[in-house]
Amino acid sequence: QVRFVESGGGLVQPGGSLRVSCAASGFTFSSSPMSWYRQVPGKERELVATITSTGGSTNYANSVKGRFTISRDNAKNTLYLQMNSLKPEDTAVYYCNAKGWLGPRYDYWGQGTQVTVSS
C-alpha cells in the first residue's frame, strides 16, 4: 500500500517561493532515495530532484539547479521541495516517488500538487 500525498502547492508570482511536501507511507521511507517529479498536460513527467536516503546527497535537473532545494525528514516520512525564484515554466503538477535505479521505483503516483507561477 504505497502511498504518496503531495501538498503545499498554489499560485505564486514569478520570483516568488513555495514549499511543497510529500507524505509517504507503505514502504521504508528512511532507507529509500526519493525524487520529485513534475508534469504538465501533454508532456512527459520530468525528474526535478533526487535525494539520498539520509539526505546526504542531492541532484537537480539543470532547469531548477540553484533555485530548488530537496530535503527530507525521515522521522516524519516526509519529503520537501523548496522552490525559490519561481518562473512561469515551473508551472506543473508536482509529484513524489521513491527513486529507482533508472526511474521511479513505484508505479503508483499520488494526486500531486499544482504549482502555478503567474502574475
Side-chain angles (χ1 to χ4, degrees):
Q1 301 196 86
V2 174
R3 186 185 181 202
F4 303 106
V5 181
E6 298 91 349
S7 62
L11 176 64
V12 63
Q13 294 183 356
S17 297
L18 204 62
R19 188 178 76 160
V20 293
S21 301
C22 168
S25 61
F27 64 101
T28 306
F29 179 85
S30 61
S31 66
S32 301
M34 296 292 295
S35 297
W36 280 102
Y37 300 81
R38 66 187 182 186
Q39 188 171 31
V40 298
K43 191 177 179 181
E44 291 286 317
R45 185 178 278 111
E46 175 190 17
L47 176 64
V48 175
T50 61
I51 187 169
T52 55
S53 60
T54 62
S57 183
T58 58
N59 285 285
Y60 300 91
N62 289 334
S63 58
V64 307
K65 198 170 297 181
R67 300 187 297 117
F68 289 13
T69 302
I70 187 172
S71 62
R72 64 194 297 158
D73 187 337
N74 285 346
K76 297 180 179 179
N77 279 17
T78 301
L79 182 73
Y80 303 99
L81 185 67
Q82 177 68 46
M83 301 177 287
N84 298 326
S85 301
L86 282 161
K87 304 174 180 179
E89 51 263 44
D90 296 318
T91 296
V93 179
Y94 284 72
Y95 301 89
C96 63
N97 209 314
K99 181 183 182 295
W101 188 246
L102 294 175
R105 179 176 177 182
Y106 299 106
D107 291 333
Y108 174 83
W109 296 88
Q111 65 181 17
T113 187
Q114 176 72 50
V115 173
T116 302
V117 185
S118 177
S119 59

